[in-house]
Each structure stands twice: as structure tokens, then as C-alpha cells.
Amino acid sequence: MKQRPTFPAQLDATLEKNRPNPRGTRVPHANLQTHASVAALPSVATVAKPKALTSGLPHAVPQGVGMDSGAVRKRMVQKLAEQGVRDPQVLAAMGAIERHRFVDSALANQAYEDTSLPIGLGQTISKPGVVSRMAELLRNGCTGRLGRVLEIGTGCGYQAAVLSLLAEEVYSIERLRGLHDKARENLRLLRLPNLHLLFGDGMQGFAKGAPYAAIIAAAGGEAVPQAWVDQLAVGGRLVAPVATGGGSGAGQALVVIDKTAQGIRQTILEAVHFVPLKSGVA
Ligand code: SAH
């Protein structure tokens, strides 16, 4: 029987040493051991087993989405493909996760539009177009699942759920207790055993899960925190919104950082608009 990790966790050093290239290969589950003191990250919730991703969930489909949200989602996926998302696994994950369950029922009828929506505490769920674009960049054409992924900014948990279908393990960290709790509630019925929710300051990353095959941020700072680069595996990729130009009115751009044996390669892509990356917890 496959042993499920308990968290807070520490990775087994011997297994880690033998870990192959983190991208594109099905990395065996790391042997995770419980670790008593994780001061900066007081609570970690593992979202349990996948039973019904797209059907059989007990709560009713909200009004406005209709009886068959699958058809609306299929149209959304078609539009994403028309916009240029090619990765079949990303498109499949976007088709599988029910976005309307992650927003307030009053907004459910807008859940499959390509728009960001409020999720409380001044934060927003990212647009499906942005989630799929970033996931595709993160996967960088790999054919299997990604290895371990760190997400900074769980928010309502939507992107974390999408990522959990694309990676072996996902650690998602949120600095606002109210949203961490909301995400846990939203994700409870999906029962995703490889998704681990953490409450803490994601600017520090999550060293106990490192090295990561991929790191993705859903909030934009002045620069990419060094901790994220340090916690990225060689061969790994980081995708994050970062302020451009400096100053208070500065915009943001999507930045891709590839960590290679030779060093860091940074690529600046299109302009984006994300909520700010903030330090500390609240
Ligand atoms: N991916 C999310 C988007 C949430 S918006 C979703 O699908 O809903 C970005 C989130 O980043 C917000 O919830 C915000 O509180 C969080 N955030 C900002 N700075 C953070 C930090 N330092 N650590 C962890 N989370 C942070």
C-alpha cells in the first residue's frame, strides 16, 4: 500500500540524493516523515482522496451555471485552446476542475468567463486564461506529470486544484488565514491527496518540500524572492508576476526563471495584473 505523507514533513535525504531530473519523469513519492517543529508554518492541511472530480459532488449546481456545468466548461476550454493553450494535460485539467465551486454562489454564473472574480479579503481568483497560460509555461512541454510544485497564494484554491492534476505533489501556501480556511473548505469534497495546503508567508517558500520541479506565484512582488530560486531544483522552472519599471504606478510582467546547471535564465513575458505579494501572515 502506498504510504501517504503526513505533514509538517521532512524529506528523506537519501531518496532526495537519488532523485532524477524533476521535469518530465514520474518521480517516486518522496518518503515524507513527520517533523515536530515548523515554526513559520503552524498548520498544514492535506486534502484527501480524489473520488469525484467532475460529478457526484453533494452540493447543488448554483443557479446560472445550469444543470450541466460540463458543457459551459467545455466551451471555456475551447476558447482557451483558441487563445493558444496547446498542452493537452492543461486543457484537460481546466475541463475537469469546476471553477464555479470556488466562487461565491452570486458570481457562479460568471465562473466560466475569462475574468478574475473577487474571493474575499480584497483578493481575486485568477482568470482561466492566466491559470492555463501559467500552467502551460510551468510544464514547459513535459509529457508526464511535473514532480513537486510549490504555489504561492492559494486564494480560494482553484489553481491549486488544477495544479494537483498536473503534478505529483502540490504544496500551496496562503498568508491570509480566512482564505486558507476557505480553500480547505472548497477543496474538501474534491479529495485531492497530493495537494497540501499551508498557512504561512510564501515569500519564504516552503524549504521542507524543496527542491521543487516548479514554483508558481499568484501574487506579484517587486522581485522574485531569493528563497524561491534557492528552493527550485536544477532543471526546474519558476513562473511569477513581477513589478516592472519600479515606482508605485509600475505594471507587472510574467517572468519565467529556468534553473540550469549553468545558472539562472530569466525570460520576461507579457504584461499581467495580479494582487500584490505581501510579507507576513494575517
Ligand atoms: N491562485 C489563487 C489566486 C489567489 S490571489 C486562486 O486560484 O484563487 C493571490 C493570493 O496570494 C491571495 O490570496 C493573497 O493573499 C496571496 N498572497 C499574497 N502574498 C502572499 C505571501 N507572501 N504568501 C502567501 N500568499 C500570499
Side-chain angles (χ1 to χ4, degrees):
M1 205 178 80
K2 202 188 282 180
Q3 203 190 341
R4 295 264 29 112
T6 337
F7 292 88
Q10 189 173 40
L11 294 164
D12 183 274
T14 8
L15 263 180
E16 279 311 284
K17 254 189 261 152
N18 300 328
R19 195 157 183 253
N21 180 347
R23 184 169 299 283
T25 47
R26 281 186 75 90
V27 179
H29 283 279
N31 180 15
L32 296 163
Q33 301 169 338
T34 52
H35 191 258
S37 59
V38 185
L41 297 166
S43 86
V44 181
T46 296
V47 182
K49 278 188 106 148
K51 266 214 184 104
L53 270 182
T54 55
S55 62
L57 293 176
H59 45 280
V61 174
Q63 259 193 337
V65 174
M67 286 307 287
D68 180 13
S69 72
V72 199
R73 217 161 29 256
K74 214 167 167 184
R75 274 200 299 280
M76 177 191 82
V77 170
Q78 265 163 11
K79 281 189 195 151
L80 295 174
E82 282 161 21
Q83 282 167 30
V85 179
R86 293 275 172 269
D87 188 325
Q89 288 200 34
V90 171
L91 292 171
M94 297 299 291
I97 300 296
E98 300 181 316
R99 191 170 184 257
H100 69 267
R101 297 191 187 276
F102 291 83
V103 296
D104 198 277
S105 57
L107 298 170
N109 59 351
Q110 295 174 59
Y112 297 104
E113 290 169 18
D114 197 16
T115 177
S116 54
L117 294 168
I119 53 172
L121 301 176
Q123 308 302 317
T124 53
I125 181 174
S126 309
K127 289 178 180 193
V130 169
V131 172
S132 52
R133 164 80 170 139
M134 289 176 85
E136 185 167 61
L137 283 168
L138 212 60
R139 286 175 44 75
N140 196 20
C142 95
T143 48
R145 281 190 180 219
L146 285 167
R148 271 196 304 272
V149 173
L150 175 67
E151 179 193 44
I152 294 97
T154 314
C156 63
Y158 171 70
Q159 182 171 270
V162 171
L163 292 171
S164 79
L165 302 185
L166 301 171
E168 291 287 334
E169 300 286 337
V170 177
Y171 298 83
S172 180
I173 183 162
E174 172 58 54
R175 66 177 288 276
L176 297 176
R177 170 68 77 180
L179 285 177
H180 169 75
D181 291 345
K182 189 183 238 182
R184 190 171 11 200
E185 183 55 30
N186 288 342
L187 290 160
R188 197 169 49 86
L189 292 165
L190 291 183
R191 300 173 74 78
L192 302 165
N194 64 336
L195 173 53
H196 314 289
L197 302 182
L198 303 111
F199 172 63
D201 180 1
M203 282 180 84
Q204 319 292 323
F206 180 56
K208 292 195 185 303
Y212 296 100
I215 299 182
I216 180 168
E222 290 298 308
V224 172
Q226 187 57 40
W228 300 358
V229 178
D230 293 345
Q231 290 172 26
L232 194 62
V234 172
R237 173 171 270 203
L238 183 158
V239 180
V242 180
T244 48
S248 54
Q252 289 173 339
L254 216 47
V255 169
V256 172
I257 290 180
D258 289 304
K259 190 167 179 175
T260 70
Q262 285 73 44
I264 298 299
R265 192 176 53 239
Q266 179 174 296
T267 315
I268 300 174
L269 300 169
E270 68 268 23
V272 283
H273 187 71
F274 279 80
V275 296
L277 181 72
K278 293 187 175 171
S279 59
V281 294

